[in-house]
Every structure is written in C-alpha cells, then in structure tokens.
Amino acid sequence: MRFNEQAGLPRVERRQFLRGAALAGVVGAVSRAGHTGELRAVEASRGGPAPVFDDNRPNYLFAAREAARWIRSAETKADGGSNWLPQPDHPQIKATVSPPDGFYSGAAGTILFFIELAEVTGDKSYLDDARRGGDYLIRSQRPASSAAPSALAGAEYSFYTGLAGTAYALAELAKATGDAPYRNAAWSAADMLLAAAKPMGAGTGWMGWPGLTGNAGVVLALLSLADLLGDKAEALRAAAIRAGDRVVEQGIADPRGGVRWEGMPPAFLEEPEETYWPGFQLGTSGVTFALARLGAATGEKRFTAAAETGALHLRRIATVKGEAALIHYREPDLKDMFYLGYCNGPAGTARSFYQLYLATKDPLHLRWTEMLARGVMVSGIPEKQTPGFWNVVCQCCGSAGVIDLFIGLWAATGRKDYLAFARQVADQMVSRESDLDGKGYRWYQAYTRVKPWDVTAETGYMIGAAGIGTALLHLHMAEAGAYRRTVRLPDDPFPAVRPV
C-alpha cells in the first residue's frame, strides 16, 4: 500500500466539489477507567446516569453523549428553529461540505444523531434538539434553485448535499416523533424531487452523472421515502425505476470484465478525462449498490442483473490475497493506493456486495463482503495509519465508517470477531477525543488526505462528531444486548435490529 509519488496530487478534492455544488444554491475529560470517579462526577453534574466502565475500555455511550454536548454548544437559532455551526472553532464559517440544511455536514444529518441518542438513552431532550433542527429544515425549505454552476446543474437535488437528503431526514424525524409538520414537509420535498425529474436518455434524472453523489443517490432516497411515508409510495418507486433506467444506460463495458460507471465526471474535480474511481461514493460500487437495492425493492430484475455486472467488474479489478481483498482508490494513477473507509474503500464497497447478497442470495456476494472486511482487518489499522487511512476518524473516510461496517456485519452474521474489531477501532478513536474548553468531545482530523496540515473539528454527520457519536451509539447498543431500532441510511443494507 504505497503512495505513488509520481502521480501528483489532485488539484480539486471531493470536499471542494461538494462544497461548490452545495453552497452555490492533551485529550479532554478522560474516557478511561482509571478516571471513572472524575467521569461519574462530570456526568452526575449534568443530570445523567453515571457511566459504567470496565478496566480497559472507554464507555461508548458516555463518549457519544459528550459528542452531543459539544454539538449542542454550537447550536444557533435560525429560521424559526436551530442549526449547528459546522466548525465551532471558526464561527464565521456557516457551511462546509453541504449547505446549512444539508445532510453531509448540515442540520439534516445532525438530526439523525439526536434521534438515535433519544432512543438509546430515553432522554427526550435529544428529541427536542432534533425537533428544533427539523423546524429549521421546514422553514428553510424551498424549491431547489438553479444557482449552481452550469457544470454542476442538478447537484442541489442530491442526497448528500441537496433536497433528497433533507427530505429523508424530515421523514425519519416524522417517524420518530409522530409529528405531522415533519411528515408534511418531507412530502413537500419529495414532491419537489418528483417534479424536478427531467427526461434523460432511456429514463429520467436530476443531474448528468449516475453515482451516489448524483442520480443513484436520489434513487436510494426515493426508495427510503416510499418506505417511510407510505402514501404515494407507488409514485416514488415509479420515479426511482425511471431514474434507474437512465443509470443502467450509463454503464460502460470494461475489457477486464463486467460494467463500470463513471459515478462523477472527472472534469468536475478538474482531473484528466481518463480518471476513474471504482469506489462507493464516486464510482461503480455505489451504483452497484443502488441498482441492487432498486431491483430488490421493485422486483424489476433488470436492475439486479445490471448490479451483477458491476460486481463482476469490481471483483476483476480487486487485489486479492487469500481470503482478503481490497480495491484501489483510483485509475490510472493511484492503483497502489487503497482507501479503507466509506467513500472510496471497503467500508462502502462491502455494502454493495452485501446488498447484492440480499437481492440474490448468491453466497458469492456474501463471501466478497467478508473478503473486503478481511482486507481491512489485516491492513494493520487502527494501530497503523496506512496511506489510505490517514489522520481521519469520520464516517466518510475514517474510523467511524469502519466501525459501522463491522457492527453491521456483526448484526448480519453474528460473528463475534467483527464486533471485536469494531471495538478495537472504536477504542483507538475515542482515545483521540479532545475537550480543551470543557464543552464536550470533538475530534480533530485532516479530512483532506493531501492537506495533512488542514486540521479541523466538525459537528456534522459524515465528517464530524454527529457521525462519530452515531457509530459509538451503535457499538454501545451491540455490547449492551440492545441492538434495536438503529437508523440505517438509504445507502446501508445491514440490519437495523439484532435479536438478543
């Protein structure tokens, strides 16, 4: 796993692309058992239950609540509700990767963390946090604008940074609270999505590219909205099918076998035209997942068949050693770079193979799911920071995404070694928390791999404390024998519940 020094560095990173698309429309209080008295005193002073510790590991629920405390310290009143500053150290910054109401680093994602925290702890004040965020989403909701640069037209509808993600968060909030205003707002956003679909090739779409940052992500949001909202589910699934036809059409036969998708045009990241990402967020893996989910949800076997061709391509380009496999980050210049996280690594791509297993019951896909997991387990992390697993801990490309993958695999298979590995990664991650100002836990990281000097701590779901806290909540639930009613995102195929 060597970095190709001759390849050069990308001129524009994924973060810069997402920001452009979206914005156009010392360790602190110690978490180790040796300081349990201090921690119990801190927790008691906040009116919460005293944390329970063993001799060696941090208390995951306590750490998650400390992350929530820090996020709460960043709350700002906005549009009749509340939002949270994305980088509290820099309060002048109002948005980073997604707009303030978006999913990636905005209110929509943070709401999901508070929903789960209320469920796990029974503390309804967290649901009040989520409601204030939902009120902000309702009042900030508007038809997606056409203000994005022409090259990025349609990105304002995407799941990660646009309207589809906002609609999904509102629907989950409506499910958690039973409150009609959030359900109505989710339907309003869904109606906007339906109305905005344009004829494209053999089907319809919202933007020109098929990956999870594009039309495939909207397809997944529509399927989740159909499940969450019930009413008009047929119309939502029909729209997903039409968009799926366009996605299938954009596949490219690969001479190595199977079909690949250019999930995001390289020009959008100012990369050479021949650049290809096979991974989850930018490439074939994410499209494979979406098509497999679409086929399973609708019974339209052509989508499952198309997903099989994507999986074949991924298997053909994988680096395999025994029962372990990894897939490189990018072609043609970084074929010896192996990301391990969600965006471009096994924490994402394993989801694609597991979704295909659910759709087909073919054990080959389950085997590849576990081969990719094994690739992570033998990589040397978390003790070793590989070139594809650098100083980053978030859901997108770091520890939290890896933790959730292995908890999901445990929930699906019952294998204790997966839970043990999730615990190993989580212990190292929690040890990196900071609470320098006494406001709660946050994690400083170099989100952009090629800018190791650019270290920040964010509040949001995909790149900040909300997503980190969510992974810790899931691990706490698993260890407590209470793994139930987890919020599984549209791009996550693993069980939401595991019976004791």
Side-chain angles (χ1 to χ4, degrees):
M1 299 184 186
R2 303 182 312 276
F3 176 68
N4 185 346
E5 297 290 354
Q6 304 303 316
L9 299 177
R11 288 185 295 276
V12 179
E13 282 290 301
R14 179 183 69 260
R15 178 179 186 139
Q16 291 173 281
F17 162 77
L18 292 170
R19 182 192 296 122
L23 295 184
V26 222
V27 176
V30 190
S31 58
R32 292 286 175 180
H35 299 268
T36 56
E38 176 186 349
L39 285 170
R40 287 194 176 98
V42 170
E43 187 71 4
S45 71
R46 295 171 197 140
V52 177
F53 299 89
D54 73 8
D55 290 337
N56 301 303
R57 296 205 309 274
N59 181 289
Y60 306 126
L61 178 58
F62 180 81
R65 295 187 70 164
E66 283 294 282
R69 187 165 68 91
W70 182 64
I71 295 170
R72 280 175 159 176
S73 76
E75 182 176 352
T76 60
K77 302 298 181 183
D79 289 337
S82 291
N83 197 0
W84 299 271
L85 292 172
Q87 290 184 12
D89 291 342
H90 305 283
Q92 74 280 8
I93 297 175
K94 305 305 180 184
T96 55
V97 174
S98 64
D101 58 354
F103 174 81
Y104 218 84
S105 61
T110 302
I111 284 171
L112 300 182
F113 172 49
F114 281 123
I115 290 173
E116 288 209 72
L117 196 53
E119 172 67 25
V120 173
T121 64
D123 184 343
K124 299 305 181 184
S125 70
Y126 293 125
L127 207 53
D128 292 338
D129 291 303
R131 281 191 172 99
R132 290 194 298 275
D135 293 342
Y136 165 69
L137 293 187
I138 291 175
R139 288 164 178 79
S140 66
Q141 192 176 84
R142 58 199 178 279
S145 72
S146 58
S150 59
L152 306 178
E156 62 269 27
Y157 297 103
S158 79
F159 175 75
Y160 297 116
T161 63
L163 188 62
T166 301
Y168 169 74
L170 285 165
E172 285 285 3
L173 184 56
K175 177 183 176 182
T177 64
D179 294 349
Y182 306 125
R183 181 182 178 85
N184 294 340
W187 260 120
S188 176
D191 285 340
M192 291 180 202
L193 285 173
L194 295 176
K198 298 177 181 179
M200 293 183 180
T204 60
W206 296 263
M207 49 221 108
W209 59 98
L212 288 185
T213 61
N215 289 327
V218 181
V219 166
L220 292 177
L222 291 174
L223 295 175
S224 290
L225 289 169
D227 293 337
L228 287 165
L229 298 175
D231 301 337
K232 301 182 184 178
E234 185 175 344
L236 291 169
R237 292 192 181 101
I241 288 171
R242 291 192 296 272
D245 285 332
R246 172 57 178 164
V247 170
V248 172
E249 181 183 44
Q250 291 179 282
I252 303 167
D254 192 284
R256 294 167 290 188
V259 173
R260 62 182 172 88
W261 280 265
E262 293 184 353
M264 180 181 291
F268 289 1
L269 298 180
E270 297 186 7
E271 295 293 347
E273 183 178 354
E274 66 272 15
T275 302
Y276 164 59
W277 296 272
F280 198 68
Q281 202 174 55
L282 304 183
T284 299
S285 171
V287 174
T288 296
F289 177 94
L291 293 175
R293 171 67 65 86
L294 182 58
T298 64
E300 299 288 342
K301 295 183 179 180
R302 66 185 183 277
F303 297 122
T304 306
E308 292 269 23
T309 67
L312 173 59
H313 167 68
L314 294 170
R315 295 197 304 269
R316 290 290 176 84
I317 68 171
T319 297
V320 179
K321 292 185 179 181
E323 285 298 304
L326 291 175
I327 296 173
H328 49 266
Y329 164 56
R330 192 173 76 188
E331 297 181 8
D333 58 337
L334 291 176
K335 295 174 72 173
D336 56 355
M337 170 69 69
F338 298 89
Y339 275 35
L340 300 181
Y342 156 91
C343 57
N344 286 293
T349 298
R351 300 183 183 198
S352 301
F353 282 98
Y354 189 72
Q355 179 60 56
L356 258 176
Y357 171 69
L358 293 178
T360 66
K361 302 305 178 185
D362 185 340
L364 174 66
H365 300 312
L366 179 58
R367 180 188 173 209
W368 269 84
T369 303
E370 299 195 271
M371 286 174 65
L372 289 165
R374 177 62 58 181
V376 179
M377 296 174 80
V378 301
S379 69
I381 73 162
E383 292 82 3
K384 176 183 178 182
Q385 288 193 340
T386 71
F389 196 79
W390 62 102
N391 177 25
V392 62
V393 295
C394 60
Q395 285 276 353
C396 177
C397 34
S399 304
V402 171
I403 292 164
D404 261 340
L405 166 67
F406 281 91
I407 296 172
L409 285 169
W410 163 80
T413 67
R415 285 184 51 174
K416 293 182 179 179
D417 57 334
Y418 290 146
L419 190 59
F421 189 75
R423 187 186 302 123
Q424 181 182 352
V425 177
D427 289 357
Q428 192 268 357
M429 183 179 74
V430 174
S431 75
R432 294 180 55 184
E433 55 80 13
S434 295
D435 184 14
L436 299 176
D437 55 9
K439 293 181 179 179
Y441 289 3
R442 82 294 314 262
W443 284 261
Y444 287 91
Q445 61 178 356
Y447 171 71
T448 303
R449 181 183 62 83
V450 296
K451 296 181 180 179
W453 60 87
D454 186 8
V455 176
T456 57
E458 297 221 12
T459 59
Y461 192 96
M462 291 304 297
I463 59 173
I468 294 168
T470 298
L472 293 172
L473 277 180
H474 293 167
L475 185 51
H476 163 76
M477 294 167 73
E479 294 216 317
Y483 195 80
R484 60 184 184 274
R485 295 184 64 180
T486 57
V487 175
R488 286 292 171 185
L489 303 183
D491 59 12
D492 189 332
F494 296 111
V497 176
R498 179 168 176 81
V500 177

